[in-house]
Structure formats: C-alpha cells, structure tokens
C-alpha cells in the first residue's frame, strides 16, 4: 500500500489547459461599435499581401464604380431639365429612388436601424438625397455642366475635411499635399473650361458642395455598421414625407414634356445616381476609408466632361489629357499615403 501510494504521489496529474481564447482573451476580438470611428483609423493590413488587401481592392473598385455613376449625374440632369422643371425633377427623382430602395428593404425584411443611427441617416438624407440634387439642378438651369464640375473637383477635399472634423482622422502631410494638388488641377481645368467667369449659380454650387460632403462623411461612417445600400435606402425612405407631397405640388405647377432625353435623364439620376451609385460608393468608403475614397472623385470632373462631349456635344480643350494625367498621379499618391 505504501509503495502504491508513493507511485501515485509521484505521477503527474494532467490538468486540461483552457483554450487560448479563454485563458487570455484577445481584446481585439470583442465586438465594438465603430460607428464614430473613421474607417481609415481602424486596424488594417498594411502589407498589401494579407487577406485585408482583397477587401481594400474590392472597396477601391466599388468606390470607382460609384464615381463613374456620379460622373453621369450632371449630363443626365441636363437631359432631365429638357422636359421637367427643377423642382419636379428633384422630387420625382427622390420619390422613384425611394420606391426602389423601399422595395428592396421590404423584400429582404430588413429591420429598422437602431435609434442612435437615425440622426446620421437624417444628415445623409438632407445632404445627399435632397440638398445636393436640388442645389445642383438649380445651378444647371443657368450653368453648363463643365462649370458645375467645379463643385465636384472641390468635393474630395471638402469630404476629407469633414471627415477629419467629424471623426478625428489625421491624414498624413503627403496625403494632404496630393489632395490639394489634385484639387487645384481640377479647379484650374474646370474654371478654364467655363471661361473663368463666375455666375449666379456659384452660390448653389458651393452650397451643394458643403451639404454633400457632410452627407458623404455620415454615410461612410454608418456604412461601417450596416450595409451601404441600407444607408442610402433608409435615407431615401426618410425623405418620403417630403418627396411625395413635393412631387405632387411641383408637377402641378411646372410643365412637363416627356421626351426620350428627359425620361432617360430622370431614370438615371433616380436609379443610377441616387441609389445604385451610392450603394457601391458607401461600400467602397467603408472598405478603404472616407479620405482615400473621396480622392477617387478627383477623376469625376474629367469623366463628366467626357460624357458631356458624348451626350451633350460640348467641346474639350487640349488641356484635358494633361489634367487627367496630373489627377491620376495625385490619386495614386493619396491611395499609397498612410492616414
């Protein structure tokens, strides 16, 4: 018995080792609300070779598709104004987009957003759904699409500024230098295209610039906690109490002349610019960060001018390819610069 007790005492007893996640929980694995964080400030793979590189590439592609959709907005608006008044075009555009978005939300049985997100959705609705379309449409009654492109050239820089103020993001000096250089190149090109003259539409354009930058910033922030298409979808639905009576009143007072151009322009700004373009745009911002995604819009004025030539018969100067090359260099720099 003594020998058996001695052998038992000398034999080590195996004690189960708790899993690593229980013994030393990884704090980065805990869920956290990143609603108020800038996407560029969240942990990312900076090697370019890890799994995070694929979402970044996909995000860049989606943001680029959004920019392409937006570049058609001004020419499509010019087409729409051939048959609709400005208030009719804006309200019907918002109404049609809300019907598309609301149908998707109902079909997929998407639950209502949390109460804390409704303020941000209201900012998106005021800036992107109503403010920017209305102000730019009023401006395009007297301004050309090339002149209106000035606001698009300034939008990336303004969005980055709003993002820095709203989320506390601090992009690098290289980022800011490239962003300012690209914005300066776009402004110089678009002002030269319009003859360097300022018009009464400039007040509308600068107002549109501010409200849209605020809407983009809030939309990119919310896209971190809900799919991008739901962000713009709920913003459109939120505007229905204004767009429905607004469309009825506007259509009653403004004459309507249905033509191929006016119908095509209305359908594009409603489905393409107002919904599908914003879906991929917000997804892209959520993946690569608000400041970097906004710099892709530096190419938007040049794309708009290309569409203006093809669709509206406007003429470009030889400065276009030089400006395009300068903008592409700036975009490449901002994409590589660390925030």
């Amino acid at each position: 018995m003594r020998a058996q007790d001695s052998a038992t005492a000398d034999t080590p007893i195996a004690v189960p080792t708790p899993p690593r996640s229980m013994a030393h929980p990884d704090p980065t694995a805990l869920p956290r609300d990143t609603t108020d964080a800038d996407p560029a400030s969240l942990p990312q793979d900076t090697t370019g070779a890890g799994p995070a590189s694929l979402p970044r590439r996909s995000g860049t592609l989606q943001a680029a598709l959004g920019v392409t959709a937006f570049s058609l907005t001004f020419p499509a608006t010019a087409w729409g104004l051939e048959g609709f008044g400005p208030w009719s075009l804006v309200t019907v555009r918002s109404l049609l987009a809300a019907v598309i978005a609301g149908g998707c939300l109902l079909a997929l049985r998407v639950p209502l957003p949390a109460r804390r997100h409704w303020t941000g959705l209201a900012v998106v609705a005021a800036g992107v759904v109503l403010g920017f379309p209305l102000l730019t449409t009023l401006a395009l009654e007297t301004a050309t699409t090339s002149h209106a492109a000035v606001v698009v050239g300034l939008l990336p820089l303004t969005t980055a500024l709003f993002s820095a103020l709203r989320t506390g993001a601090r992009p690098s000096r290289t980022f800011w230098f490239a962003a300012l250089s690209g914005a300066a190149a776009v402004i110089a090109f678009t002002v030269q295209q319009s003859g360097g003259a300022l018009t009464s539409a400039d007040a509308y354009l600068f107002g549109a610039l501010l409200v849209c930058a605020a809407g983009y910033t809030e939309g990119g922030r919310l896209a971190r906690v809900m799919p991008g298409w739901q962000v713009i979808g709920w913003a459109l639905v939120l505007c229905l109490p204004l767009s429905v009576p607004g469309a009825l009143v506007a259509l009653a007072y403004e004459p309507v002349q249905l033509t191929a151009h006016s119908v095509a322009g209305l359908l594009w700004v409603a489905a393409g610019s107002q919904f599908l373009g914003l879906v991929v745009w917000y997804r892209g911002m959520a993946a690569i960060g608000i400041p970097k995604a906004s710099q892709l819009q530096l190419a938007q004025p040049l794309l708009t001018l290309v569409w203006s030539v093809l669709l509206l018969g406007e003429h470009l100067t030889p400065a276009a390819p030089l400006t395009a090359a300068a903008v592409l260099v700036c975009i490449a720099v901002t994409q590589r610069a660390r925030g």
Side-chain angles (χ1 to χ4, degrees):
M1 290 292 294
R2 183 177 298 176
Q4 184 178 359
D5 294 341
S6 176
T8 303
D10 295 336
T11 302
I13 300 176
V15 179
T17 303
R20 177 179 175 83
S21 59
M22 294 177 60
H24 302 285
D26 182 6
T28 62
L30 298 177
R32 59 181 179 136
D33 186 359
T34 57
T35 309
D36 295 323
D38 176 48
S41 66
L42 299 177
Q44 298 181 13
D45 175 19
T46 59
T47 64
S53 63
L54 293 178
R56 287 205 309 274
R57 292 169 186 169
S58 175
T60 300
L61 175 60
Q62 291 182 85
L65 289 175
V67 169
T68 303
F70 300 153
S71 69
L72 281 161
T73 300
F74 286 169
T77 300
W79 273 9
L81 287 173
E82 293 180 9
F84 294 90
W87 293 91
S88 298
L89 183 61
V90 172
T91 53
V92 174
R93 159 187 179 168
S94 175
L95 178 58
L96 291 178
V99 170
I100 298 173
C104 294
L105 292 169
L106 287 175
L108 297 176
R109 298 182 180 180
V110 177
L112 290 172
R115 183 178 298 179
R116 67 181 183 276
H117 299 324
W118 281 105
T119 300
L121 288 171
V123 174
V124 175
V128 178
V129 177
L130 294 178
F132 186 80
L134 176 60
L135 293 172
T136 54
T137 299
L138 292 173
L140 285 171
E141 283 196 296
T142 57
T144 63
T145 56
S146 58
H147 185 80
V150 172
V151 71
V152 180
L154 292 175
L155 188 55
L157 180 59
T158 309
T159 303
L161 289 173
F162 267 78
S163 174
L165 293 174
R166 178 67 177 86
T167 66
R170 294 294 181 267
S172 65
R173 292 181 180 179
T174 302
F175 178 95
W176 285 116
F177 177 78
L180 289 171
S181 299
V186 170
I187 292 171
F189 176 69
T190 51
V191 170
Q192 187 271 336
Q193 286 288 297
S194 63
L198 297 178
T199 67
S200 58
D202 288 324
Y204 292 133
L205 294 173
F206 286 116
L209 173 70
L210 295 176
V211 297
C212 189
Y216 278 174
T217 300
E218 288 299 312
R221 188 179 66 86
L222 289 171
R224 294 295 300 182
V225 294
M226 67 177 72
W229 75 271
Q230 292 183 23
V231 174
I232 186 58
W234 287 117
L236 286 164
V237 170
L238 193 62
C239 290
L240 278 174
L242 295 176
S243 60
V244 171
L248 293 176
V249 173
L251 290 172
Y253 284 91
E254 292 181 338
V256 176
Q257 183 179 359
L258 297 180
T259 63
H261 277 183
S262 63
V263 173
L266 172 62
L267 292 178
W268 177 257
V269 294
S273 302
Q274 193 80 75
F275 183 65
L276 297 177
L278 286 168
V279 167
V280 293
W281 172 243
Y282 283 140
R283 286 175 62 90
M285 281 200 295
I288 65 177
I290 296 173
K292 287 188 177 182
S294 69
Q295 300 314 303
L296 291 174
Q297 281 195 304
L298 288 171
Q300 185 174 328
L302 303 180
L303 289 173
T304 298
L305 291 172
V306 171
W307 297 125
S308 298
V309 170
L310 297 177
L311 301 177
L312 303 177
E314 296 186 4
H315 298 282
L316 296 180
T317 67
L322 296 177
T323 307
V327 168
L328 290 177
V329 169
C330 293
I331 291 175
V333 173
T334 56
Q335 291 297 297
R336 292 181 177 275
R338 291 184 178 182

